[in-house]
């Protein structure tokens, strides 16, 4: 009775070994950048050159990509969320983690096993037969129910469940991170495809103009107004323009292949959506969450924190391994020489017992395992802080890019207008015989480069917006 009373007392007062997990404190930073940014970005005289302003304290929408106003983009993302194999793999990993956690909770309950054991055996003639008839050759049929239970006195099981639940959270947040990465990659790929298509269209137009210019130069050579050097210079300009076409065509084809694969299709299947800048709208209002909320919104930060909690639970598991362990066992069964009499009166047996085990000497292994768990916790804490710092850097970089690239677009628009005006004037002066042909070539090359730079600057504003939405966590928590 004293032993039973002791066991009951231990079960009633049992506590979980090791430290109880405490969430890291929220960041104390009050803003993302070292210097306050302007509330509004620079504007440009273009369709997608509107000024953007930051709505501080506003959360990112769960379907943030819809702000670009493209039905084709929305359809492409919806298809990718259903068919992308990387996201499907993340879903499967999450299901596996949840099932593993459910299996671990079974350790709270007793184990019950049923054994049916028929045997045929012969006892040596020099030994006494265990049977009532005294025969040395007999059959024995045994049915036995074994019950085992390990009370979680020092919380080892609770810490194991805590660790596996934390790993489930890791899988959940990693799944959200994979989803956010997929959506961001699709939007960026669509923007890059639109930019490449615009660059290709512009280069084809400039190539056609260069070809027309070459015809005009040749006519003037036949009239004796220009020499062979001017014709050769224009031929070189045309060849240079034509040489720029294949690389753009290659990049556009590769970008289309990327979109197909992101959507879970073979490159040969392609995607039906055709994305152009004319189908995209630049968001004028950009949500900007408070810095203290970023740790709740970024799935990679939440995954790092879940790893930290799992590491904390492992310390408790290691500490519990150094404490006494209690195992309770019970057996109930029946044995008979004939299967037909197996469950008749007098054939039954039972047993009940307990085992208290205290590790005494393991060569220091248990102590070092605990110290290793503590070191792993310190590592997880450092990795968590690194993830938080990187997240803040991502937001700060996106904010700087949005501000700077808005100014770059305005400068690029002004440069393109000036280059086109310069080319128009140089061509008119050449046609009137007021200047030679080299200024026309130089002005044309400057205009061509300014056109490409303008398109790239337009694309940068869209990708900067995507980068901000991604850096702020993509709004997954509001779904």
């Amino acid at each position: 009775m004293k032993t039973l009373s002791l066991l009951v007392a231990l079960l009633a007062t049992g506590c979980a070994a090791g430290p109880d997990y405490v969430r890291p404190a929220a960041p104390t930073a009050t803003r993302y950048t070292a210097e306050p940014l302007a509330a509004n970005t620079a504007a440009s005289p273009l369709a997608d050159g509107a000024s953007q302003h930051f709505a501080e304290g506003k959360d990112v929408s769960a379907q943030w990509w819809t702000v670009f106003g493209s039905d084709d983009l929305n359809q492409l993302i919806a298809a990718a969320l259903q068919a992308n194999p990387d996201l499907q793999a993340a879903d499967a990993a999450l299901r596996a983690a949840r099932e593993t956690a459910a299996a671990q909770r079974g350790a709270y309950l007793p184990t019950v096993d049923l054994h049916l054991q028929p045997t045929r055996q012969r006892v040596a003639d020099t030994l006494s037969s265990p049977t009532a008839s005294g025969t040395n050759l007999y059959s024995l049929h045994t049915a036995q129910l074994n019950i085992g239970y390990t009370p979680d006195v020092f919380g080892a099981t609770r810490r194991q469940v805590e660790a596996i639940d934390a790993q489930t959270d890791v899988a959940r947040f990693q799944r959200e991170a994979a989803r956010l990465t997929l959506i961001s990659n699709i939007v960026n790929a669509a923007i890059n495809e639109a930019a490449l298509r615009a660059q290709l269209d512009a280069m084809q137009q400039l190539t056609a103009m260069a070809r027309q210019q070459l015809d005009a130069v040749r006519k003037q050579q036949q009239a004796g107004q220009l020499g062979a050097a001017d014709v050769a210079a224009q031929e070189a300009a045309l060849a240079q323009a034509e040489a720029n076409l294949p690389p753009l065509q290659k990049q556009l084809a590769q970008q289309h292949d990327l979109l197909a694969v992101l959507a879970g299709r073979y490159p040969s299947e392609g995607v039906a959506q055709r994305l152009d800048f004319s189908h995209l709208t630049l968001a004028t209002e950009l949500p900007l969450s408070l810095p203290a909320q970023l740790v709740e919104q970024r799935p990679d930060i939440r995954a790092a924190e879940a790893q930290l909690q799992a590491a904390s639970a492992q310390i408790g598991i290691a500490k519990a391994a150094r404490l006494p362990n209690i195992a309770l066992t019970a057996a109930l069964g029946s044995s008979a020489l004939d299967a037909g009499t197996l469950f008749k009166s007098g054939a039954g047996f039972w047993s009940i017992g307990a085992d208290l085990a205290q590790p005494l000497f393991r060569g220091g292994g248990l102590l070092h395992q605990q110290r290793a768990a503590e070191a792993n916790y310190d590592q997880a804490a450092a990795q968590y802080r690194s993830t938080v710092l990187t997240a803040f850097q991502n937001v700060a970089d996106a904010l700087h890019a949005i501000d700077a690239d808005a100014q770059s677009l305005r400068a690029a628009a002004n440069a393109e207008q000036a280059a086109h005006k310069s080319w128009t004037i140089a061509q008119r002066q050449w046609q009137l015989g007021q200047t030679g042909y080299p200024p026309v070539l130089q002005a044309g090359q400057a205009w061509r480069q300014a056109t490409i730079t303008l398109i790239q600057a337009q694309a940068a504003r869209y990708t900067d917006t995507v980068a901000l939405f991604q850096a702020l966590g993509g709004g997954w928590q509001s779904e």
Side-chain angles (χ1 to χ4, degrees):
M1 291 298 296
K2 291 183 178 180
T3 303
L4 181 60
S5 300
L6 176 61
L7 291 177
V8 172
L10 286 173
L11 292 175
T13 61
C15 59
D20 292 328
Y21 176 70
V22 178
R23 296 192 64 184
T28 57
T30 57
R31 60 172 181 251
Y32 294 104
T33 57
E35 299 295 334
L37 293 174
N40 298 283
T41 65
S44 305
L46 298 171
D48 50 4
S51 174
Q52 294 177 302
H53 66 276
F54 302 109
E56 295 191 12
K58 184 176 181 180
D59 293 334
V60 177
S61 169
Q63 295 184 333
W64 53 267
W65 59 90
T66 59
V67 302
F68 295 106
S70 172
D71 291 336
D72 287 339
L73 180 60
N74 297 341
Q75 294 172 6
L76 187 60
I77 291 176
L81 291 177
Q82 296 296 324
N84 182 267
D86 293 333
L87 189 58
Q88 292 173 349
D91 287 334
L94 177 56
R95 293 197 306 271
R98 286 172 174 168
E99 294 299 332
T100 302
Q104 182 62 48
R105 292 188 186 92
Y108 286 130
L109 303 175
T111 61
V112 181
D113 298 315
L114 176 63
H115 298 269
L116 296 175
Q117 187 178 10
T119 62
R120 180 72 172 170
Q121 56 189 9
R122 186 182 188 283
V123 179
D125 294 336
T126 56
L127 299 178
S128 298
S129 173
T131 64
S133 62
T135 180
N136 289 341
L137 180 63
Y138 61 93
S139 297
L140 181 65
H141 301 271
T142 302
Q144 181 173 332
L145 191 67
N146 292 335
I147 302 173
Y149 180 58
T150 302
D152 191 26
V153 179
F154 297 105
T157 302
R158 276 169 282 175
R159 291 307 186 196
Q160 290 169 351
V161 171
E162 179 185 359
I164 203 68
D165 284 343
Q167 290 298 335
T168 302
D169 287 338
V170 172
R172 178 165 68 94
F173 295 130
Q174 287 178 341
R175 188 267 178 194
E176 296 299 338
R179 181 179 182 273
L180 175 59
T181 300
L182 172 62
I183 295 173
S184 301
N185 288 343
I186 291 175
V187 178
N188 281 326
I191 293 170
N192 290 334
E193 179 178 321
L196 288 168
R197 184 171 286 113
Q199 292 179 55
L200 182 60
D201 291 342
M203 190 58 63
Q204 289 173 339
Q205 294 175 7
L206 293 173
T207 301
M209 293 175 59
R211 190 174 290 109
Q212 294 174 358
Q213 193 74 16
L214 177 59
D215 293 339
V217 170
R218 284 173 175 171
K219 290 179 180 178
Q220 289 192 341
Q221 181 194 25
Q222 293 173 358
Q225 298 175 354
L226 293 176
D230 294 322
V231 176
Q234 183 59 35
E235 289 175 343
L238 175 60
Q240 183 179 7
E242 291 176 338
N244 289 329
L245 294 176
L248 290 173
Q249 293 169 340
K250 178 191 71 173
Q251 294 177 48
L252 181 59
Q254 291 174 341
Q255 205 68 26
H256 207 64
D257 293 342
L258 174 61
L259 276 173
V261 172
L262 289 175
R265 304 175 183 176
Y266 291 101
S268 58
E269 296 176 327
V271 293
Q273 293 79 8
R274 177 186 172 93
L275 300 168
D276 298 302
F277 275 140
S278 59
H279 299 160
L280 297 175
T281 302
L282 185 68
T284 56
E285 181 181 83
L286 299 177
L288 187 60
S289 306
L290 298 177
Q293 297 176 339
L294 187 64
V295 294
E296 301 291 339
Q297 297 173 345
R298 290 267 300 219
D300 56 340
I301 295 179
R302 297 297 299 275
E305 183 185 352
Q307 292 281 20
L308 182 62
Q309 184 174 6
S312 174
Q314 289 295 335
I315 297 177
I317 295 173
K319 286 186 175 181
R322 302 176 63 190
L323 300 175
N325 183 61
I326 299 173
L328 305 179
T329 59
L332 176 66
S334 178
S335 293
L337 299 177
D338 186 358
T341 61
L342 184 61
F343 297 103
K344 290 187 176 181
S345 177
F349 65 87
W350 62 271
S351 67
I352 187 170
D355 178 29
L356 175 64
Q358 167 63 58
L360 296 179
F361 180 73
R362 299 290 178 85
L366 297 179
L367 174 61
H368 291 300
Q369 288 176 1
Q370 178 181 332
R371 290 176 178 175
E374 293 168 348
N376 288 333
Y377 177 83
D378 293 339
Q379 179 187 17
Q383 290 173 339
Y384 171 80
R385 176 166 172 75
S386 175
T387 303
V388 172
L389 293 175
T390 301
F392 273 74
Q393 179 190 353
N394 294 155
V395 178
D397 290 347
L399 294 175
H400 286 304
I402 289 172
D403 181 64
D405 288 340
Q407 300 178 38
S408 296
L409 179 60
R410 181 171 61 183
N414 294 335
E416 192 276 337
Q417 292 178 356
H420 180 262
K421 182 178 180 180
S422 175
W423 178 80
T424 302
I425 293 173
Q427 189 176 35
R428 184 182 301 113
Q429 290 178 340
W430 168 66
Q431 291 172 346
L432 296 175
Q434 297 176 355
T435 184
Y437 192 68
V440 179
L441 281 176
Q442 295 175 359
Q445 292 172 352
W447 181 34
R448 181 168 62 248
Q449 183 59 46
T451 301
I452 299 301
T453 301
L454 176 60
I455 295 172
Q456 293 173 345
Q458 289 175 300
R461 293 204 71 188
Y462 286 105
T463 56
D464 292 342
T465 303
V466 175
L468 179 62
F469 286 137
Q470 185 176 12
L472 292 174
W476 64 272
Q477 73 282 356
S478 60
E479 284 190 313

